[in-house]
């Protein structure tokens, strides 16, 4: 059988030339996702689901340390519950998907397919919470959610069904609830920066961008190389609004009736879209080691002569690395050339490639190639496990450093409206003094075809802001982050 040595499996466009075509190709060719007959709904293939499981494992362990417990609430939300807190659902109504029929019989009441679970959870909370001893109540669920988007779907980043966690907590004291909002936001920062090697900017949502059911919302935001920002996660303080609509009350230590304070927070499989977009290159995806399903692949380089010897040595290396705790695979498929395999594993984003040829066997060494930098090193077999461990750590750090540099270099502090316009055209993230008035936000959106305030970064707002709004000239009330977004 002729060996397959063509590179047609590769991506045919450069990321810098056509980022969205690059993204579409990489997702299919690296076997991450598959489109289905329902627009905006896709299959999360094992390679991507494994990344999601790593993120889950990290975040789940962290929230458990904070006393959060997992549970499951139904996917169907009866209409009367969904509309109980009117304000929060008004703006979202067009995105709700409904079940109206069971078998052939119309239902008496429409059932919403979970777009988010505040209403169904808080209806139960009202039954469960009686006294201050029942608080705090901290429940999370790892589920799917559906929002009937009408904009063009982008795998992971904008779809109709996604996976997420939604945490819903209840506290007797406002201060405790507010502390948790920030504790969770910090965990989100760590999910993105420590696991996905994506730098994020923490901040408070502006009044018109906050969740309508919240007193205030906070978020972590990042910019992708496509020039569009991604809201990576949100953590909301709901105040007493939902508690009042759903009748959640408790008797405090003095047997006084009180209304508790609530939070909700979530991050989704969108995070994976941001990761793919951010770190991928012309060869395929690059996965930070902390979330990579596979750390290394051993590829024997065989010629007819010495074939058995090389294969045996390659297997030995893979086995001993496995024993040392490295997630590694041996690619000893006979029908592909080594070159074809190199391309394939680069496309799929395996962190390290370990090549073993006859010369290496002779010298008791292997060649280790890093996916993110292409750096090639000859490593003694005896040092291999240690070397791999330190290379994976270095790769994680280097990927974050590089991403951070990108974010810094693509952030512009606009001092005037013309600077703002120029920066938006150049697909930058913009920091500017802003009045935070809704009308001004609308004008900016119209003039720039969609730029909006992502958040009011905590860091930039530490010092009091005086001066004028860069857009409208009215007094500025905060430093704001602007960009176009997904
Ligand atoms: C779409 C349809 C109906 C977003 C929706 O951010 C309702 C909603 O409430 C809706 N889209 N939201 C806001 C979700 C708020 C909040 N929920 C828990 C989160 C994090 C997780």
């Amino acid at each position: 059988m002729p060996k397959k040595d063509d590179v047609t499996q590769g991506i045919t466009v450069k990321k810098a030339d056509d980022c969205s075509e690059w993204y579409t190709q990489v997702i299919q060719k690296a076997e991450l996702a598959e489109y289905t007959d329902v627009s905006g709904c896709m299959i999360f293939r094992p390679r991507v689901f494994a990344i999601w499981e790593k993120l889950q494992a990290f975040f789940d362990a962290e929230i458990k340390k904070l006393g959060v417990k997992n549970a499951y609430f139904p996917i169907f939300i009866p209409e009367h519950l969904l509309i109980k807190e009117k304000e929060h659902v008004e703006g979202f109504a067009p995105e709700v998907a409904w079940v109206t029929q069971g078998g052939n019989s119309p239902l008496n009441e429409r059932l919403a397919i979970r777009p988010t679970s505040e209403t169904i959870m808080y209806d139960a909370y009202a039954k469960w919470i009686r006294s201050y001893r029942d608080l705090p109540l901290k429940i999370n669920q790892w589920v799917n959610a559906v929002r009937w988007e009408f904009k063009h779907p982008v795998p992971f980043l904008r779809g109709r069904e996604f996976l997420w966690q939604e945490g819903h907590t209840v506290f007797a004291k406002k201060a405790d609830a507010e502390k948790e909002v920030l504790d969770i936001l910090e965990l989100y920062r760590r999910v993105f920066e420590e696991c996905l090697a994506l730098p994020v900017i923490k901040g408070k949502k502006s009044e018109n961008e906050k969740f309508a059911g919240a007193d205030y919302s906070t978020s972590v935001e990042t910019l992708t190389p496509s020039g569009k920002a991604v809201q990576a996660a949100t953590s909301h303080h709901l105040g007493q609004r939902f508690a009042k609509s759903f009748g959640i009350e408790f008797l405090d230590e003095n047997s006084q009736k009180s209304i508790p304070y609530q939070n909700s927070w979530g991050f989704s499989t969108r995070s994976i879209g941001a990761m793919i977009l951010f770190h991928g290159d012309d060869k395929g995806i690059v996965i930070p080691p902390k979330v990579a399903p596979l750390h290394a692949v051993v590829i024997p380089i065989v010629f007819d002569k010495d074939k058995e010897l090389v294969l045996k040595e390659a297997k030995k290396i893979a086995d001993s690395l496995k024993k040392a705790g490295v997630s590694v695979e041996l690619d000893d498929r006979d029908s592909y050339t080594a070159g074809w395999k190199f391309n394939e594993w680069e496309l799929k984003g395996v962190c390290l490639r370990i090549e073993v040829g006859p010369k290496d066997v002779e010298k008791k060494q292997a060649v280790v190639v890093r996916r993110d930098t292409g750096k090639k090193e000859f490593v003694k077999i005896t040092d291999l496990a240690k070397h791999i461990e330190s290379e994976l750590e270095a790769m994680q750090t280097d990927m974050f450093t590089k991403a951070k540099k990108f974010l810094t270099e693509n952030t512009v502090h606009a001092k005037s409206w013309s600077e703002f316009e120029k920066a938006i055209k150049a697909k930058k993230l913009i920091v500017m003094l802003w009045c935070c008035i809704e009308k001004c936000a609308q004008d900016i959106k119209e003039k720039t075809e969609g730029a909006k305030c992502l958040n009011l970064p905590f860091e930039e707002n530490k010092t009091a802001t005086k001066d004028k709004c860069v857009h409208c000239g009215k007094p500025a009330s905060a430093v704001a982050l602007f960009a176009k977004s997904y």
Side-chain angles (χ1 to χ4, degrees):
M1 189 164 75
K3 294 218 172 185
K4 295 184 187 164
D5 60 0
D6 61 305
V7 286
T8 49
Q9 86 257 43
I11 301 158
T12 58
V13 289
K14 297 238 176 295
K15 189 182 179 194
D17 293 345
D18 188 346
C19 196
S20 77
E21 172 61 20
W22 171 89
Y23 185 72
T24 309
Q25 284 197 18
V26 94
I27 273 166
Q28 286 174 289
K29 293 189 173 182
E31 298 172 357
L32 302 174
E34 186 73 70
Y35 294 97
T36 69
D37 290 350
V38 182
S39 168
C41 294
M42 48 163 214
I43 301 161
F44 292 73
R45 298 185 65 176
R47 291 189 170 283
V48 118
F49 203 82
I51 300 174
W52 183 235
E53 285 176 323
K54 300 256 181 182
L55 294 175
Q56 279 186 312
F58 172 83
F59 190 74
D60 205 62
E62 290 300 326
I63 57 176
K64 280 180 179 150
K65 287 184 202 162
L66 298 177
V68 178
K69 296 207 161 69
N70 284 326
Y72 181 79
F73 288 72
I75 192 171
F76 298 124
I77 305 178
E79 182 161 23
H80 75 272
L81 277 188
L82 195 74
I83 60 180
K84 213 163 176 176
E85 205 291 318
K86 284 202 185 59
E87 260 173 55
H88 98 275
V89 82
E90 250 165 22
F92 297 123
E95 286 184 8
V96 178
W98 296 97
V99 175
T100 57
Q101 198 163 309
N104 288 324
S105 339
L107 302 180
N108 290 330
E109 185 184 15
R110 299 199 285 176
L111 302 174
I113 303 175
R114 163 173 62 225
T116 181
S117 301
E118 275 80 358
T119 54
I120 194 161
M121 290 175 85
Y122 305 164
D123 186 53
Y125 286 9
K127 297 175 199 159
W128 298 341
I129 296 168
R130 289 281 169 264
S131 116
Y132 69 93
R133 288 184 211 90
D134 301 323
L135 299 177
L137 178 65
K138 303 182 184 182
I139 294 182
N140 176 68
Q141 61 175 2
W142 292 98
V143 292
N144 59 344
V146 169
R147 292 183 189 164
W148 216 254
E149 287 270 0
F150 291 93
K151 284 192 204 154
H152 179 66
V154 184
F156 305 111
L157 293 166
R158 198 194 297 134
R160 287 180 171 165
E161 183 186 13
F162 51 87
L163 305 178
W164 71 349
Q165 60 66 221
E166 43 176 329
H168 295 267
T169 54
V170 191
F171 296 83
K173 298 213 161 56
K174 185 178 167 72
D176 294 339
E178 293 198 279
K179 177 179 181 302
E180 190 209 53
V181 170
L182 296 181
D183 288 346
I184 295 291
L185 199 66
E186 171 60 11
L187 284 185
Y188 288 141
R189 183 197 65 76
R190 292 182 56 201
V191 166
F192 285 88
E193 299 200 339
E194 291 175 17
C195 300
L196 295 168
L198 295 176
V200 289
I201 297 157
K202 281 189 191 177
K204 191 170 166 178
K205 283 279 179 186
S206 66
E207 221 20 59
N208 54 316
E209 292 291 343
K210 74 166 196 192
F211 170 35
D215 273 10
Y216 60 85
S217 300
T218 66
S219 71
V220 285
E221 310 271 344
T222 193
L223 180 74
T224 67
S226 69
K228 281 190 182 172
V230 172
Q231 175 179 285
T234 47
S235 179
H236 313 281
H237 178 55
L238 307 176
Q240 296 176 310
R241 191 187 307 237
F242 279 95
K244 283 178 184 162
S245 315
F246 284 83
I248 310 176
E249 291 173 350
F250 68 102
L251 293 179
D252 68 15
E253 284 98 327
N254 307 314
S255 298
Q256 295 297 306
K257 229 187 212 179
S258 306
I259 298 170
Y261 295 85
Q262 293 182 267
N263 295 334
S264 76
W265 28 272
F267 89 101
S268 74
T269 38
R270 185 172 232 225
S271 52
I272 297 175
M275 181 215 89
I276 298 165
L277 205 46
F278 216 114
H279 297 305
D281 62 20
D282 291 340
K283 294 174 178 170
I285 64 167
V286 184
I287 313 174
K290 280 227 174 94
V291 295
L294 190 62
H295 282 152
V297 61
V298 179
I299 301 180
I301 300 171
V302 292
F303 304 95
D304 285 342
K305 187 173 158 272
D306 297 331
K307 185 173 169 184
E308 290 313 314
L309 183 70
V310 171
L311 280 176
K312 204 173 124 205
E313 186 58 31
K315 185 164 183 329
K316 221 166 95 191
I317 290 173
D319 286 345
S320 76
L321 287 175
K322 250 180 223 162
K323 268 201 200 121
V326 181
S327 81
V328 59
E329 231 179 74
L330 170 69
D331 186 354
D332 58 359
R333 290 173 298 172
D334 208 22
S335 48
Y336 296 91
T337 61
W340 197 94
K341 292 178 188 176
F342 292 179
N343 290 331
E344 182 178 45
W345 289 109
E346 278 173 348
L347 178 62
K348 292 180 176 167
V350 69
C351 304
L352 302 170
R353 176 172 85 223
I354 303 165
E355 304 169 9
V356 190
K359 280 239 168 64
D360 303 312
V361 176
E362 215 172 86
K363 293 185 182 164
K364 296 192 189 337
Q365 67 178 25
V367 181
V368 179
V369 185
R370 229 167 91 169
R371 175 61 184 90
D372 61 329
T373 55
K375 192 180 85 180
K376 212 170 173 165
E377 272 187 284
F378 296 88
V379 184
K380 286 270 161 259
I381 301 290
T382 45
D383 298 339
L384 206 50
K386 249 212 165 97
H387 178 83
I388 284 172
E389 193 189 329
S390 68
E391 270 314 277
L392 290 172
E393 259 171 47
M395 180 169 166
Q396 185 80 31
T397 315
D398 292 352
M399 282 179 77
F400 179 72
T401 310
K402 190 175 158 205
K404 180 101 185 167
K405 186 164 170 264
F406 171 86
L407 193 66
T408 312
E409 284 173 358
N410 284 280
T411 304
V412 170
H413 291 251
K415 298 276 175 294
S416 67
W417 180 244
S418 67
E419 274 178 36
F420 184 103
E421 283 186 308
K422 206 173 119 207
I424 273 293
K425 283 204 186 99
K427 302 185 168 183
K428 304 283 179 187
L429 204 57
I430 299 159
V431 178
M432 71 159 193
L433 281 168
W434 191 41
C435 62
C436 302
I437 296 168
E438 172 138 18
K439 169 81 173 67
C440 185
Q442 278 169 7
D443 290 347
I444 294 173
K445 208 173 241 176
E446 272 164 35
K447 286 186 194 169
T448 57
E449 288 168 14
K452 67 171 193 186
C453 175
L454 309 174
N455 69 22
L456 312 172
F458 291 140
E459 197 57 44
E460 311 270 357
N461 282 287
K462 271 187 180 155
T463 45
T465 43
K466 288 193 199 97
D467 224 326
K468 287 179 188 156
C469 170
V470 163
H471 175 252
C472 71
K474 294 209 176 93
S477 59
V479 180
L481 195 63
F482 273 82
K484 292 190 182 178
S485 66
Y486 276 102

